[in-house]
Amino acid sequence: MSQSGISYFDTPKKARMKGAANFNNAMGIPYFYNNLFQYYGVSKQRGYEVVPENRGAKPILSSKDLHCVDRFLQDLGWDARVLTWDQLAEELNLNCCGRTLKTHIGSMDYHKCIACCKGWVNGKLATKRKDWCLLMRRVRFSDEVHWSVGPEGKVKIIRKPGERLCADCVQHTLNREDEKKNQRLHSWAAVGYNFKSNLNFHTTKSRNGKMSLEVYRDQILEPIVKPWLERGDNFVLEEDNDSGHGGGDSKGGNIVKTWKKKNKLEHYFNCSGSPDLAPIENCWRPPKQFLQRFPHWDEFETRELAVEGWGTVTQHFINKQVDSMPRRLQDCIDLEGQMTGW
């Protein structure tokens, strides 16, 4: 006995036990490991250290097979990933069912899941989006936003229990024609890395808030953008491809194009149908949510709340959105121009 109380297990005994196991295996003589260990007076744990247990069948897929599966999935990408497990096994001639392949490949952290569903983009627009992403450089993102004065949609009131129609119904005091007009304020702003403009309100005769060339030149470019150029700011102005921004030709000449050329404004138009590639779209959410928290029944209240809500958009938040542009562009390229989750 050793000092630890465990029987001494010498090398000759190991050799005899291993030889007996090898002889029985070679001759096909059935035996139990427990009987072998008991005959030589050793425990199961020590016995299996000398005579490895040969339990179960050999794995159907070898490590070489799994490596081939991994390479196939990496090289073909989407085309391979949409195959079923059975189709994948058949494609690689693995001589196993899909369930077996699923079990083995799961050890490499491959799993099936439902593909993400995002807005579909047609082929022409997808190609345009991808090409545009490759040209992206330094930018100040600009955009217009519209603020509703008063509640949007029909006015709702609290009704008494069991009450449906009453003599003093509010419908007699409401002017539904005014309600349909849904008065709105229109504003413009721009953001960039370590840059945030004020919220600048403008007027327009269009009921939907669409800017004309004259409004954009006289109320935005001249009083707001021109001072940036005069003080030497180094930037490229991003705009949506709206006709009021000089995106199209107009009769009598395009006065916005002429202004940009005269003042040497570097600019580009955002790819159409691509709000996910303009970080300023993310910056409109906080002020709009802020505006919904308070009643705003007239133009002055709405303007004050809009400015206050715009103040809640921090420069840190803006920088974070701008920093995400490389990832947005790469996501768009990787998705072959399809809509991203930004």
Side-chain angles (χ1 to χ4, degrees):
M1 296 287 290
S2 65
Q3 293 181 354
S4 60
I6 301 176
S7 300
Y8 181 71
F9 197 13
D10 57 11
T11 300
K13 183 183 289 188
K14 292 179 183 178
R16 290 194 299 271
M17 188 168 65
K18 186 180 293 186
N22 290 339
F23 177 80
N24 288 336
N25 291 334
M27 299 302 293
I29 302 173
Y31 68 100
F32 294 102
Y33 281 99
N34 286 344
N35 293 341
L36 181 65
F37 301 152
Q38 192 174 16
Y39 179 78
Y40 284 99
V42 299
S43 66
K44 265 201 221 178
Q45 182 178 357
R46 299 298 300 277
Y48 281 127
E49 291 176 2
V50 178
V51 184
E53 186 178 14
N54 184 21
R55 292 182 176 178
K58 290 180 62 177
I60 296 178
L61 297 180
S62 64
S63 58
K64 184 178 180 181
D65 293 329
L66 295 180
H67 178 70
C68 290
V69 175
D70 183 43
R71 287 296 301 273
F72 182 75
L73 292 173
Q74 294 289 344
D75 293 343
L76 288 189
W78 177 258
D79 292 334
R81 292 166 59 196
V82 296
L83 297 176
T84 65
W85 295 119
D86 288 319
Q87 290 171 337
L88 184 58
E90 183 178 354
E91 183 73 23
L92 296 176
N93 297 319
L94 295 178
N95 195 26
C96 70
C97 66
R99 181 176 295 182
T100 301
L101 176 59
K102 176 183 177 181
T103 301
H104 282 74
I105 203 69
S107 64
M108 301 174 66
D109 208 27
Y110 278 102
H111 305 281
K112 282 282 188 183
C113 64
I114 298 175
C116 298
C117 298
K118 297 185 177 70
W120 181 81
V121 176
N122 64 50
K124 184 177 180 181
L125 179 56
T127 301
K128 184 178 179 181
R129 279 164 53 85
K130 182 177 178 181
D131 293 342
W132 179 87
C133 288
L134 296 173
L135 299 176
M136 182 65 192
R137 293 295 183 269
R138 72 194 192 284
V139 179
R140 281 184 186 177
F141 301 91
S142 69
D143 194 19
E144 296 91 51
V145 66
H146 312 288
W147 314 94
S148 293
V149 178
E152 297 190 36
K154 295 194 175 204
V155 175
K156 296 182 180 179
I157 63 170
I158 299 174
R159 191 174 63 192
K160 297 177 182 178
E163 182 184 74
R164 182 169 179 80
L165 295 175
C166 52
D168 59 345
C169 182
V170 71
Q171 66 177 326
H172 299 302
T173 62
L174 288 177
N175 188 330
R176 290 300 184 187
E177 292 303 317
D178 289 342
E179 186 178 285
K180 289 178 182 178
K181 290 179 182 178
N182 197 17
Q183 184 184 356
R184 308 173 87 188
L185 294 180
H186 316 292
S187 59
W188 179 96
V191 297
Y193 195 84
N194 288 336
F195 176 84
K196 174 187 175 185
S197 77
N198 293 327
L199 194 62
N200 304 280
F201 291 87
H202 59 273
T203 59
T204 175
K205 295 180 180 179
S206 173
R207 292 186 64 182
N208 62 4
K210 184 177 177 64
M211 272 190 181
S212 65
L213 294 170
E214 291 79 7
V215 168
Y216 191 52
R217 182 194 63 181
D218 298 339
Q219 298 188 43
I220 302 299
L221 294 179
E222 271 291 334
I224 302 169
V225 178
K226 190 173 182 179
W228 301 347
L229 297 170
E230 290 176 341
R231 71 189 184 199
D233 290 5
N234 182 19
F235 68 97
V236 175
L237 185 66
E238 178 267 356
E239 307 162 290
D240 59 39
N241 197 5
D242 187 85
S243 59
H245 297 156
D249 294 325
S250 61
K251 295 179 180 180
N254 192 315
I255 59 176
V256 169
K257 280 186 177 180
T258 302
W259 189 96
K260 290 177 180 178
K261 185 176 181 180
K262 177 182 176 182
N263 290 275
K264 298 180 181 179
L265 173 65
E266 291 186 71
H267 70 99
Y268 77 91
F269 295 119
N270 187 19
C271 188
S272 58
S274 304
D276 56 328
L277 301 180
I280 193 169
E281 296 289 348
N282 303 95
C283 298
W284 292 134
R285 296 174 190 169
K288 285 190 173 182
Q289 292 172 351
F290 180 86
L291 199 68
Q292 292 174 357
R293 294 167 49 193
F294 304 96
H296 46 284
W297 294 92
D298 60 51
E299 176 183 341
F300 303 103
E301 286 180 342
T302 303
R303 184 185 294 258
E304 290 179 0
L305 287 172
V307 172
E308 191 173 349
W310 182 242
T312 65
V313 182
T314 65
Q315 190 62 60
H316 174 74
F317 177 80
I318 295 172
N319 289 351
K320 188 176 179 181
Q321 302 307 313
V322 175
D323 282 339
S324 71
M325 277 304 298
R327 178 63 184 275
R328 297 181 191 222
L329 301 179
Q330 190 60 54
D331 285 350
C332 183
I333 294 171
D334 292 343
L335 293 172
E336 296 296 328
Q338 294 296 319
M339 192 66 69
T340 69
W342 294 95

